[in-house]
C-alpha cells in the first residue's frame, strides 16, 4: 500500500505542478487551469471571498494574541488592518480617484489578491500529494553528495529547498525552524536555508508569470528561476554575512550531525520514503491539514499584499524613493544591456518591499526585461511583506540589517546571471 501511495500521489502532484496541458487554446499547468476555471465560473463572488479572507487575516494576530509579540509583529498587524480598509474601500467603491486608477488598488486586488487567494489554498491541497508521501525524503538521500559541497548544508536540507520551491517559504521556514530547534542544523546552516532556499512557491511564480504574460514559456521560466536561485545561494553562502555565521547549535546543544550515506544509497532512500509514506495520515486528513495551513497562510499574505503592495505602488508612482534605490542596481542592468536598464533597476529595487511589485512595474517592458525581473522577484527571496516577518518569527538569529545585505547581494547576482540566459533562450 505504501508503494502505491508513494508512486500514485507523488505522480499526481508532479502532474498538477509541472506538466503543461493545453485547454481551450491555453497552455499552462493544471493548477493554473483549475484557478482560471473558478475565476470564470463565479467572478462576481470572488471580490467578497477575497475581502472575507483579508478581514480574517487582519483579525487573526489579535485573536491569537501574537500582534504585540515584538515590534515587527506590531507593524505588520497594523499593516494588515490597513490592507483590510483598502480592500473594503475598493470593493464598496469608496475613496479618492487615484486609488481607483487601473495601476493602483484595482490591479493589486483583481490581478494579485484574487489569484493568490485561490492559488495558495488549492495549491496546498495538491502540495499534500507532492510532498507528503516520501518523494522528498527519497530525493534527500541522493542530494547528500550535492548539498554539502555546493551549499554547505546537510542532504536533508534538500527537502526544505524543494518544499519551499514547490510549496512555499512559510512551509520551508516551518520545517527549517523545527529541524534547527531539534539540533539537526547549525546556526549557519539554518541561516543559509532560510535566506537561500525559502523562495515563494511555484504557485506564486504562476501569478508573476501570468501578470507578465510568460505562461507560454512557463517551463523555461520555472527552470531558469530554479537554477539561478540555487546558483545565487551557492555564491552568497561564501560571502559576508552568511560565511561568518556561527557553527554552534540551537541554545548551545550538542547537535545531531547528519549520517552520511556512502553505500546502498537507493536502498536507504527507498526505506526513508516508505517510512514517510507509512507515517502520513489518511489522504483526507492530510489534504485537510494542508488546506488549513494554506488558508491560514493566505490570510496572512492577502492583507499584506494590499497594504505593503499599495504602499510600494504609491512610493513608486508618487515619490522618487525607488528611483534613488534603483541607482544601486543601474550599473548592473546597464552592464548586461537590458532594454530600459533604469526601469529594470527600479523594479529590482522594489523587490525589497513585496515580491509582486517588480512585475507590476515592467508589464509593458521588453520580453527580456520582463523575464529577468520575473526571475529577480523570486530569486531575491527576501521581502518585507511576508518573508522577513516569517524569518524573524523563527528562532534563527538573523537581524534585519543582515537580511537587507543578503537581499542586495541576491538581486545583483540574479541580474548578472539571468540576463545572458534570457538573451540566449528568448
Amino acid at each position: 500500500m505504501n508503494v502505491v501511495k508513494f508512486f500514485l500521489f507523488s505522480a499526481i502532484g508532479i502532474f498538477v505542478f509541472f506538466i503543461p496541458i493545453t485547454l481551450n487554446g491555453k497552455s499552462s499547468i493544471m493548477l493554473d487551469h483549475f484557478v482560471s476555471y473558478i475565476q470564470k465560473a463565479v467572478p462576481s463572488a470572488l471580490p467578497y471571498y477575497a475581502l472575507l479572507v483579508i478581514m480574517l487575516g487582519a483579525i487573526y494576530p489579535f485573536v491569537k494574541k501574537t500582534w504585540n509579540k515584538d515590534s515587527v509583529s506590531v507593524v505588520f498587524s497594523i499593516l494588515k488592518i490597513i490592507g483590510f480598509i483598502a480592500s473594503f474601500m475598493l470593493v464598496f467603491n469608496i475613496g479618492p480617484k487615484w486609488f481607483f486608477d487601473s495601476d493602483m488598488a484595482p490591479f493589486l486586488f483583481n490581478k494579485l489578491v484574487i489569484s493568490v487567494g485561490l492559488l495558495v489554498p488549492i495549491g496546498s491541497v495538491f502540495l499534500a500529494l507532492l510532498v507528503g508521501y516520501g518523494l522528498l525524503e527519497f530525493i534527500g538521500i541522493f542530494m547528500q553528495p550535492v548539498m554539502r559541497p555546493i551549499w554547505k548544508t546537510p542532504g536533508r536540507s534538500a527537502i526544505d529547498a524543494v518544499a519551499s520551491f514547490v510549496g512555499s517559504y512559510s512551509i520551508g521556514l516551518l520545517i527549517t525552524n523545527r529541524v534547527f530547534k531539534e539540533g539537526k542544523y547549525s546556526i549557519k546552516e539554518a541561516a543559509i536555508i532560510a535566506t537561500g532556499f525559502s523562495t515563494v512557491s511555484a504557485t506564486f511564480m504562476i501569478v508573476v508569470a501570468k501578470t507578465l504574460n510568460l505562461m507560454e514559456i512557463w517551463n523555461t521560466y520555472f527552470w531558469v528561476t530554479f537554477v539561478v536561485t540555487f546558483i545565487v545561494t551557492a555564491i552568497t553562502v561564501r560571502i559576508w554575512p552568511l560565511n561568518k555565521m556561527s557553527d554552534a547549535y540551537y541554545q548551545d546543544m550538542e547537535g545531531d550531525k547528519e549520517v552520511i550515506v556512502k553505500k546502498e544509497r537507493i536502498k536507504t532512500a527507498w526505506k526513508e520514503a516508505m517510512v514517510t509514506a507509512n507515517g502520513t495520515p489518511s489522504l483526507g486528513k492530510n489534504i485537510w491539514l494542508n488546506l488549513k495551513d494554506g488558508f491560514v497562510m493566505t490570510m496572512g499574505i492577502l492583507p499584506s499584499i494590499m497594504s505593503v503592495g499599495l504602499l510600494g505602488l504609491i512610493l513608486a508612482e508618487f515619490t522618487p524613493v525607488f528611483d534613488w534605490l534603483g541607482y544601486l542596481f543601474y550599473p548592473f542592468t546597464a552592464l548586461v544591456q537590458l532594454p530600459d536598464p533604469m526601469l529594470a533597476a527600479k523594479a529590482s529595487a522594489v523587490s525589497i518591499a513585496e515580491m509582486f511589485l517588480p512585475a507590476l512595474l515592467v508589464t509593458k517592458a521588453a520580453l527580456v526585461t520582463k523575464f529577468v525581473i520575473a526571475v529577480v522577484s523570486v530569486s531575491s527571496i527576501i521581502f518585507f511583506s511576508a518573508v522577513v516577518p516569517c524569518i524573524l518569527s523563527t528562532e534563527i538569529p538573523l537581524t534585519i540589517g543582515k537580511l537587507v545585505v543578503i537581499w542586495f547581494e541576491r538581486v545583483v547576482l540574479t541580474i548578472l546571471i539571468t540576463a545572458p540566459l534570457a538573451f540566449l533562450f528568448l
Side-chain angles (χ1 to χ4, degrees):
M1 188 60 192
N2 290 337
V3 176
V4 174
K5 284 199 285 191
F6 173 75
F7 282 110
L8 178 65
F9 295 145
S10 300
I12 294 170
I14 289 167
F15 172 70
V16 169
F17 277 99
F18 297 115
I19 310 296
I21 303 286
T22 302
L23 289 177
N24 301 325
K26 177 185 164 188
S27 175
S28 193
I29 56 172
M30 279 310 296
L31 181 59
D32 186 33
H33 287 307
F34 290 142
V35 171
S36 298
Y37 174 77
I38 293 169
Q39 284 178 311
K40 287 192 180 101
V42 286
S44 55
L46 292 178
Y48 299 101
Y49 157 74
L51 185 62
L52 176 65
V53 175
I54 290 169
M55 183 180 76
L56 294 172
I59 296 167
Y60 194 70
F62 297 94
V63 173
K64 296 290 279 185
K65 298 190 166 47
T66 56
W67 71 274
N68 60 352
K69 191 173 66 177
D70 50 49
S71 55
V72 175
S73 299
V74 172
V75 170
F76 276 93
S77 298
I78 292 166
L79 282 169
K80 283 174 181 173
I81 294 169
I82 294 168
F84 169 65
I85 293 167
S87 306
F88 185 88
M89 286 165 62
L90 185 71
V91 171
F92 293 101
N93 213 21
I94 307 160
K97 186 169 175 286
W98 63 263
F99 182 77
F100 293 96
D101 193 80
S102 60
D103 292 336
M104 282 290 176
F107 188 95
L108 281 173
F109 194 81
N110 299 328
K111 285 280 196 297
L112 299 183
V113 168
I114 289 173
S115 283
V116 172
L118 293 172
L119 271 169
V120 175
I122 296 168
S124 67
V125 170
F126 292 101
L127 180 67
L129 304 180
L130 187 68
V131 302
Y133 293 92
L135 183 66
L136 294 186
E137 285 71 13
F138 187 77
I139 291 167
I141 299 292
F142 291 101
M143 289 301 286
Q144 275 187 354
V146 179
M147 299 305 290
R148 180 67 65 189
I150 299 177
W151 294 289
K152 301 184 183 292
T153 59
R156 59 170 80 103
S157 63
I159 295 165
D160 275 12
V162 181
S164 298
F165 222 92
V166 298
S168 92
Y169 52 84
S170 60
I171 293 168
L173 285 167
L174 207 66
I175 298 169
T176 307
N177 198 43
R178 190 170 68 224
V179 178
F180 172 59
K181 285 165 76 175
E182 287 167 1
K184 291 175 182 173
Y185 292 152
S186 69
I187 289 170
K188 182 188 277 187
E189 287 166 354
I192 289 167
I193 295 159
T195 60
F197 299 148
S198 302
T199 60
V200 294
S201 65
T203 50
F204 280 84
M205 290 171 68
I206 298 166
V207 180
V208 172
K210 284 174 79 168
T211 304
L212 294 176
N213 293 325
L214 299 176
M215 284 311 289
E216 285 179 12
I217 50 166
W218 163 253
N219 267 347
T220 306
Y221 170 54
F222 178 86
W223 290 111
V224 167
T225 306
F226 187 86
V227 170
V228 167
T229 299
F230 291 120
I231 291 172
V232 168
T233 299
I235 299 169
T236 56
V237 302
R238 289 165 169 80
I239 53 180
W240 190 86
L242 286 176
N243 68 344
K244 296 296 183 207
M245 297 289 287
S246 167
D247 286 314
Y249 285 83
Y250 178 63
Q251 294 184 343
D252 290 326
M253 61 168 69
E254 184 85 9
D256 174 13
K257 290 203 165 91
E258 183 174 58
V259 177
I260 305 295
V261 178
K262 289 258 171 89
K263 55 188 180 187
E264 296 190 315
R265 200 175 287 280
I266 294 175
K267 189 176 170 186
T268 311
W270 181 251
K271 188 174 144 202
E272 289 286 322
M274 289 304 101
V275 167
T276 301
N278 189 49
T280 307
S282 68
L283 179 63
K285 189 175 180 191
N286 196 16
I287 286 175
W288 167 247
L289 289 171
N290 270 273
L291 181 61
K292 194 173 81 173
D293 284 351
F295 192 74
V296 169
M297 188 183 144
T298 308
M299 281 164 37
I301 296 162
L302 295 195
S304 295
I305 292 176
M306 275 310 288
S307 57
V308 179
L310 189 62
L311 186 64
L313 284 178
I314 290 168
L315 288 173
E317 183 73 22
F318 300 114
T319 77
V321 169
F322 289 113
D323 291 329
W324 298 337
L325 273 177
Y327 285 113
L328 290 172
F329 300 108
Y330 179 73
F332 306 103
T333 55
L335 178 69
V336 294
Q337 299 185 334
L338 284 182
D340 203 345
M342 194 61 228
L343 177 67
K346 185 178 174 182
S348 301
V350 178
S351 66
I352 188 83
E354 162 59 53
M355 64 82 54
F356 289 124
L357 290 180
L360 304 191
L361 295 190
V362 296
T363 48
K364 296 179 178 70
L367 180 61
V368 169
T369 302
K370 288 202 288 191
F371 188 87
V372 171
I373 294 305
V375 177
V376 164
S377 66
V378 177
S379 176
S380 58
I381 290 183
I382 292 154
F383 58 94
F384 272 88
S385 70
V387 169
V388 170
C390 272
I391 290 175
L392 295 175
S393 67
T394 68
E395 309 290 330
I396 305 161
L398 279 161
T399 61
I400 287 181
K402 282 179 180 166
L403 289 173
V404 170
V405 172
I406 296 165
W407 162 78
F408 177 77
E409 292 169 352
R410 295 192 67 89
V411 172
V412 170
L413 289 166
T414 303
I415 291 167
L416 296 178
I417 296 165
T418 311
L421 295 174
F423 283 116
L424 185 68
F425 291 132
L426 302 180

